[in-house]
Amino acid sequence: MYVADGVDSTFVHTRVGTVSPAGTRSVERRGTSTRYAAITALGARLLPEDRQRAVLGGHTAAEFAGLLVERLPRITDLGDAALITWAAADTHHPKLPDALARLSALDVPGRPRYTVEAAWVLSALTAARVAADVEDRLAAARDRLLGALTGTSPLFPHATAPGLLPRYRAHVACFADQTYPLQALARLHATAPDPVALRAADACAARICELQGGGGQWWWHYDARTGRVVEGYPVYSVHQHAMAPTALFDLADAGGTDHGAAVRRGLRWMAEVPELAGPDGVPREPMIREDHAVTWRKVYRGDPAKAVRAARGLAARVVPGARLTPLDRVFRPLAVDRECRPYEFGWLLHAWLGGPAR
């Protein structure tokens, strides 16, 4: 997935399974992504140096992080800047101050932010605190994330404050809105005791584990007001083998609850894929494709224009907990998205090569 282009070397946005008119199957590279390049560096830095170079086009993770820092003046996306800063901090890159300066310029105080981006900012500043004075900014990032929680629900919304989302969508949060904040708050507590942050991370983790599907599925959309599932599908491979493990392991490493059993259930889904299993229990198609060096991206309903997700989101807005169960019979989750993105493997390395809980 690496794309060699000198100082602009990066990673593809995705690899997509294709079938030629003659019936030949292959995997095609499409687009590029600075965000996915930074996540890949965060995972690859945990490899031995020779394997780092194999993944990163001959560069070590620190060298590759340096390439990403060099392009920060052209980057306007806060999430991308936060991930690059996090990678620079974790690789002890000497240009970390440049990354922190760009992150500060992009993170204008008082603006609502998408929760995922706010979580990445907190993780980046937490990683940087051993090498730079970021305490004031770190406190603000922490308070912004914790302040996004509403009522008694332990789940995080899609944005930290009103203004980014239409009212009919504001209550719906995704799985990433849970894993990245709980990870950031756990890592914050691990660097300096913060019981409030740890309790919030623990409560969020406990709830998503409580809601985990019987086949180990990490569900996709939640009602952040009530802590209930809005719509379970798609089920993403990256959640099963990488994002849930890396967040829950970081929580355990920080002294929070050990959710190893839930991690194992999630991994088991990758092999068993109950949505695709026949009468013999064997999936009609594997999600792990060694022949193409990918894991297929997700299992989904195949409903037009994501109709089930939209209908359930609107219904839950009016009647919290509404499920519209007939939709499950009409639109069954039998479709496979034959696509794979580099961040899936970046977070996989980050999860499984990390600290004691691994």
Side-chain angles (χ1 to χ4, degrees):
M1 299 184 182
Y2 180 79
V3 179
D5 188 20
V7 295
D8 289 322
S9 294
T10 188
F11 277 76
V12 298
H13 177 74
T14 190
R15 295 179 72 207
V16 179
T18 62
V19 182
S20 72
T24 303
R25 297 182 179 273
S26 61
V27 182
E28 178 181 291
R29 294 161 30 130
R30 295 180 183 173
T32 59
S33 173
T34 298
R35 173 169 296 192
Y36 293 164
I39 294 172
T40 303
L42 281 168
R45 76 171 185 86
L46 298 167
L47 293 166
E49 183 176 315
D50 62 326
R51 303 310 299 153
Q52 292 180 31
R53 295 187 185 278
V55 171
L56 300 170
H59 302 288
T60 65
E63 291 165 352
F64 188 69
L67 295 179
L68 296 176
V69 171
E70 291 293 336
R71 69 187 68 163
L72 270 173
R74 292 176 279 154
I75 288 175
T76 58
D77 185 278
L78 179 63
D80 291 2
L83 288 165
I84 292 171
T85 303
W86 187 357
D90 271 3
T91 59
H92 311 291
H93 198 278
K95 291 191 175 180
L96 173 61
D98 294 343
L100 288 168
R102 183 57 177 162
L103 183 64
S104 180
L106 292 174
D107 195 9
V108 179
R111 289 187 182 177
R113 294 294 181 186
Y114 290 109
T115 297
V116 165
E117 295 179 342
W120 287 340
V121 169
L122 181 57
S123 286
L125 294 173
T126 297
R129 76 188 312 184
V130 298
D133 181 6
V134 295
E135 294 306 310
D136 289 345
R137 293 159 59 186
L138 189 63
R142 168 207 183 267
D143 292 347
R144 174 173 61 188
L145 200 56
L146 289 173
L149 292 165
T150 57
T152 59
S153 172
L155 299 188
F156 289 86
H158 194 56
T160 59
L164 290 179
L165 302 168
R167 282 178 56 84
Y168 69 85
R169 171 68 173 78
H171 63 296
V172 179
C174 67
F175 187 69
D177 295 326
Q178 314 314 318
T179 57
Y180 291 127
L182 81 84
Q183 178 182 39
L185 292 167
R187 294 172 73 87
L188 175 68
H189 175 75
T191 60
D194 189 331
V196 174
L198 183 64
R199 281 197 300 271
D202 240 340
C204 178
R207 186 57 180 154
I208 61 173
C209 290
E210 182 181 0
L211 295 171
Q212 188 180 24
Q217 299 94 336
W218 296 110
W219 300 127
W220 181 219
H221 272 165
Y222 304 86
D223 188 330
R225 304 166 305 174
T226 65
R228 297 175 177 174
V229 173
V230 170
E231 163 57 8
Y233 292 92
V235 172
Y236 286 87
S237 291
V238 65
H239 297 167
Q240 305 295 133
H241 67 63
M243 280 171 54
T246 198
L248 295 175
F249 284 155
D250 279 346
L251 176 63
D253 288 343
T257 303
D258 183 347
H259 292 287
V263 170
R264 290 189 289 276
R265 287 194 296 270
L267 282 179
R268 192 174 301 120
W269 181 92
M270 290 294 300
E272 296 180 354
V273 202
E275 293 81 358
L276 306 179
D280 59 356
V282 177
R284 58 179 169 79
E285 179 176 1
M287 297 299 287
I288 303 169
R289 293 299 301 262
E290 295 285 2
D291 52 339
H292 294 308
V294 297
T295 57
W296 290 143
R297 182 166 167 76
K298 65 179 182 281
V299 169
Y300 65 108
R301 294 188 186 278
D303 47 322
K306 303 174 182 176
V308 175
R309 186 187 311 181
R312 283 185 165 159
L314 288 170
R317 179 73 184 178
V318 178
V319 182
R323 293 292 300 149
L324 304 179
T325 53
L327 294 174
D328 289 326
R329 295 191 295 272
V330 177
F331 299 107
R332 298 174 61 198
L334 302 175
V336 177
D337 182 3
R338 297 173 185 86
E339 179 185 357
C340 185
R341 301 184 181 186
Y343 85 113
E344 303 180 32
F345 296 133
W347 286 136
L348 183 148
L349 294 172
H350 196 267
W352 296 100
L353 298 178
R358 281 63 167 168

